[in-house]
């Protein structure tokens, strides 16, 4: 049966039967009674703001939710962004022109994002119209970016309490905007357009106060919370589902060339102001406490604290990047304190 494209939020019980949560489905035209003419019907609980896919605190549930986003016949995040923009335009008429130009006039998330980024990054010698053409060409022809911009948006919605709607990440959060700008610069760098990529990096740094070398390798489902003061060097690698707070530095230790920057395993959480230097490894699911200086490898699922950082314990369960819990409460760690070896 043909679908009208309406998205309906159902109330469903979880497996324990104790709580209810939202679930989105596409309603058939006959069932919805709209005849396929409406742009969307939204029904939601007052305490939940359109929870399409909740990533959860375990890696398995996160991967499963990500697969649901990517395998959907629809584009639920884009549908959410449009619905939110329409609602906000009705609530704040003074923003209606901005919301129409940024979201409602476009036919997909990629084109909307191109418009938003181009208008943030333009300068007198690099016009928004030129940037839009470049950004559209990159995003409309690169499946990896199409996937990443959605998984990043979901990461912001799930992990940042200040991001109540998907459209907020797209329109107002510079952590999200700078991350997607980097992704475009990275594609340009890998295409051999290195001067353009560097020019874009420079502009990203000026506008967002986020400095990511276009050659760095960054996974998907990333949260750059606040973003201000973030520095990621040329040979750094950041795995999937990582969360980085403001003021984080992934840097080198000298003038040497070659592979000289940190490698961050998936699911790691890097606290505000943490500095990680050199070609060292931060293991999967590790947590680096705020303000720490890390100069040696950090084992998987451990927490490193201090200057210089020392490992004080090990995570027992969740990836910290998904829970976003920065505290070192006893119940999160084994009782034995583990320190770096001297070798």
């Amino acid at each position: 049966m043909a679908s009208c494209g309406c998205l309906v939020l159902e109330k469903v019980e979880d497996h324990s039967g104790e709580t209810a949560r939202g679930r989105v489905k596409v309603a058939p035209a006959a069932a919805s009674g709209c005849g396929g003419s409406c742009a969307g019907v939204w029904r939601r609980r007052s305490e939940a703001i359109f929870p399409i896919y909740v990533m959860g605190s375990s890696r398995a549930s996160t991967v499963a939710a990500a697969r649901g986003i990517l395998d959907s016949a629809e584009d639920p995040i884009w549908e959410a962004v449009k619905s939110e923009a329409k609602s906000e335009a009705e609530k704040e008429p003074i923003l209606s022109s901005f919301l129409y130009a940024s979201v409602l006039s476009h036919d997909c998330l990629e084109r909307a994002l191109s418009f938003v980024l181009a208008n943030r990054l333009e300068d007198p010698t690099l016009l928004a119209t030129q940037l839009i053409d470049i950004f559209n060409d990159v995003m409309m022809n690169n499946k990896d970016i199409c996937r990443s911009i959605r998984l990043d948006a979901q990461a912001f919605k799930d992990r940042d309490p200040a991001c109540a709607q998907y459209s907020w990440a797209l329109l107002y959060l510079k952590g999200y905007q700078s991350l997607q700008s980097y992704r475009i610069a990275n594609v340009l760098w890998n295409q051999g357009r290195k001067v353009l990529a560097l020019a874009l990096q420079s502009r990203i740094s000026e506008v967002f106060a986020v400095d990511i070398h276009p050659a760095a390798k960054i996974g998907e489902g990333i949260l750059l919370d606040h973003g201000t003061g973030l520095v990621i060097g040329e040979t750094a690698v950041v795995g999937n589902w990582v969360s980085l707070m403001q003021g984080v530095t992934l840097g080198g230790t000298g003038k040497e060339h070659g592979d000289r920057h940190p490698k961050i395993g998936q699911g790691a959480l890097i606290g505000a102001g943490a500095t990680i230097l050199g070609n060292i490894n931060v293991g999967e699911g590790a947590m680096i406490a705020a303000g720490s200086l890390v100069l040696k490898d950090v084992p998987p699922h451990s927490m490193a604290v201090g200057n210089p950082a020392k490992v004080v314990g090990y995570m027992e369960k969740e990836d910290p990047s998904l829970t976003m819990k920065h505290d070192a409460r006893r119940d999160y760690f084994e009782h034995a304190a583990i320190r770096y070896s001297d070798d």
Side-chain angles (χ1 to χ4, degrees), residues 138-215:
V138 168
M139 285 198 281
M140 299 302 291
N141 294 289
N142 189 296
K143 292 182 179 179
D144 290 338
I145 283 190
C146 294
R147 180 178 64 243
S148 294
I149 64 176
R150 289 165 173 80
L151 296 181
D152 293 342
Q154 188 67 55
F156 275 75
K157 175 68 166 56
D158 284 343
R159 299 181 221 160
D160 185 357
C163 183
Q165 299 184 13
Y166 295 95
S167 59
W168 291 10
L170 170 68
L171 298 173
Y172 310 119
L173 299 187
K174 70 175 186 177
Y176 181 81
Q177 294 172 348
S178 61
L179 178 59
Q180 308 321 316
S181 301
Y182 147 79
R183 294 195 185 283
I184 294 170
N186 177 253
V187 171
L188 295 172
W189 180 273
N190 291 329
Q191 288 176 345
R193 305 176 71 181
K194 295 186 176 182
V195 173
L196 180 56
L198 290 171
L200 187 56
Q201 176 203 2
S202 176
R203 188 64 182 149
I204 294 167
S205 179
E206 292 177 18
V207 172
F208 298 121
V210 172
D211 195 350
I212 306 176
H213 194 284

Side-chain angles (χ1 to χ4, degrees), residues 27-302:
S32 66
C34 73
S37 61
C38 63
V41 179
W42 307 93
R43 200 168 62 231
R44 60 189 177 186
R45 300 178 67 200
S46 60
E47 67 269 32
I49 302 180
F50 200 76
I52 296 180
Y53 293 103
V54 179
M55 289 298 197
S57 61
S58 72
R59 187 174 301 172
S61 63
T62 298
V63 172
R67 189 175 296 115
I69 293 173
L70 303 176
D71 292 345
S72 173
E74 306 295 323
D75 189 350
I77 288 180
W78 172 235
E79 294 300 326
V81 169
K82 290 191 296 182
S83 176
E84 292 161 1
K86 182 178 179 181
S87 175
E88 294 302 323
E90 293 171 352
K91 294 176 184 177
E92 289 288 354
I94 195 171
L95 293 177
S96 59
S97 295
F98 165 71
L99 291 167
Y100 178 80
S102 300
V103 176
L104 299 174
S105 65
H106 303 285
D107 59 2
C108 63
L109 181 59
E110 288 77 7
R111 295 188 187 279
L113 182 57
S114 291
F115 180 89
V116 170
L117 297 182
N119 280 278
R120 291 299 308 273
L121 296 172
E122 70 169 338
D123 67 17
T125 60
L126 197 54
L127 303 181
T129 51
Q130 297 173 307
L131 292 174
I132 287 174
D133 289 341
I134 294 169
F135 295 174
N136 276 336
D137 181 62
V138 168
M139 285 198 281
M140 299 302 291
N141 294 289
N142 189 296
K143 292 182 179 179
D144 290 338
I145 283 190
C146 294
R147 180 178 64 243
S148 294
I149 64 176
R150 289 165 173 80
L151 296 181
D152 293 342
Q154 188 67 55
F156 275 75
K157 175 68 166 56
D158 284 343
R159 299 181 221 160
D160 185 357
C163 183
Q165 299 184 13
Y166 295 95
S167 59
W168 291 10
L170 170 68
L171 298 173
Y172 310 119
L173 299 187
K174 70 175 186 177
Y176 181 81
Q177 294 172 348
S178 61
L179 178 59
Q180 308 321 316
S181 301
Y182 147 79
R183 294 195 185 283
I184 294 170
N186 177 253
V187 171
L188 295 172
W189 180 273
N190 291 329
Q191 288 176 345
R193 305 176 71 181
K194 295 186 176 182
V195 173
L196 180 56
L198 290 171
L200 187 56
Q201 176 203 2
S202 176
R203 188 64 182 149
I204 294 167
S205 179
E206 292 177 18
V207 172
F208 298 121
V210 172
D211 195 350
I212 306 176
H213 194 284
K217 297 179 174 62
I218 299 180
E220 56 196 15
I222 302 297
L223 171 64
L224 302 186
D225 200 354
H226 301 291
T228 303
L230 177 74
V231 176
I232 299 180
E234 179 182 8
T235 61
V237 177
V238 177
N240 297 334
W241 320 118
V242 169
S243 295
L244 301 104
M245 306 300 291
Q246 68 273 17
V248 167
T249 297
L250 306 182
T253 58
K255 297 190 298 181
E256 71 275 11
H257 294 278
D259 196 354
R260 61 194 184 279
H261 294 101
K263 312 297 181 282
I264 310 299
Q266 69 177 17
L269 171 60
I270 314 299
T275 299
I276 307 173
L277 300 179
N279 185 14
I280 60 176
N281 294 306
V282 173
E284 292 188 7
M287 182 196 300
I288 308 300
S292 297
L293 172 62
V294 182
L295 301 174
K296 296 182 179 180
D297 289 350
V298 177
H301 304 287
S302 65

Side-chain angles (χ1 to χ4, degrees), residues 1-6 26-38:
M1 181 179 293
S3 168
C4 67
C6 296
V26 180
S32 66
C34 73
S37 61
C38 63

